[in-house]
Amino acid sequence: MCDYSLMAIPNRLAEEGEDLVTHRFSTGSLGLASPLDLPRVTNPVRAQTRREFRSSLKDFMNPRELKPVPAVCVPPGARLILQDIPAYLQRDLEIGPVEEVVFTQLTAAVNTQRDAIRFKDGREIRLRELDEGQRVKVLSLSSAQAFEPVPEEQAELLFRRR
């Protein structure tokens, strides 16, 4: 759903038909976010205007609190459209600039970066290998698994009991 590195960040489940972008969060991890939740760029003309010393000091002493950008979690098995695929990935993976992919997890191990996408030919790349700002459209969550994978240690115990 969401890598462990995004668990300290507010998060929510993706919605079908939603547009997302890859975003670098305050933890330094790359994940998915809604463009509507990303901070707006300040007007550069207004930022260049000269401000009074008192106003600048007031802003420095009382900084505005920025609302944290929530991570958007996608369940394994969800179908996505990956857009803006960089030229180097297109060349290396022999794919086009837009591809349908399946969201997956590479492992059930805890404290590992496991979120990945799988292309039609079965190749997988970790979400962190994508470029920041790449657009992703959620096609379907319905084919997603209804549960998270069992951690490897628990899976071994389950198989031993049989």
Side-chain angles (χ1 to χ4, degrees):
M1 289 268 296
C2 274
D3 272 338
Y4 78 99
S5 56
L6 297 175
M7 290 301 155
I9 295 171
N11 59 64
R12 66 172 178 80
L13 185 61
E15 298 175 13
E16 287 188 7
E18 185 173 19
D19 291 315
L20 303 172
V21 294
T22 52
H23 173 71
R24 182 132 346 252
F25 290 90
S26 58
T27 60
S29 293
L30 193 67
L32 297 172
S34 169
L36 302 174
D37 292 332
L38 297 177
R40 304 276 185 244
V41 177
T42 58
N43 184 344
V45 174
R46 186 174 180 194
Q48 290 175 358
T49 59
R50 192 171 198 161
R51 300 179 63 195
E52 290 185 30
F53 176 73
R54 180 178 270 173
S55 295
S56 298
L57 184 60
K58 180 180 173 185
D59 288 347
F60 178 75
M61 298 303 280
N62 299 310
R64 292 186 187 116
E65 283 190 38
L66 292 177
K67 193 170 142 183
V69 175
V72 179
C73 301
V74 177
R79 289 181 30 240
L80 312 170
I81 294 287
L82 180 63
Q83 304 172 57
D84 309 322
I85 299 174
Y88 70 91
L89 274 180
Q90 291 180 46
R91 184 181 59 252
D92 292 350
L93 300 174
E94 298 175 351
I95 57 175
V98 176
E99 290 285 326
E100 184 174 332
V101 297
V102 175
F103 193 84
T104 187
Q105 290 187 334
L106 299 177
T107 179
V110 295
N111 297 331
T112 60
Q113 292 187 337
R114 57 186 180 232
D115 290 349
I117 54 172
R118 181 182 311 124
F119 293 91
K120 288 181 183 178
D121 65 1
R123 286 185 288 179
E124 298 174 334
I125 62 169
R126 294 181 194 276
L127 200 61
R128 67 180 180 189
E129 294 176 47
L130 299 176
D131 285 349
E132 188 172 358
Q134 278 190 251
R135 294 178 297 148
V136 176
K137 179 152 187 99
V138 179
L139 291 179
S140 172
L141 299 175
S142 61
S143 63
Q145 297 170 5
F147 57 92
E148 294 237 3
V150 177
E152 291 174 17
E153 301 82 23
Q154 289 180 354
E156 288 176 9
L157 290 174
L158 289 172
F159 288 117
R160 282 188 210 158
R161 290 181 187 166
R162 291 184 181 179

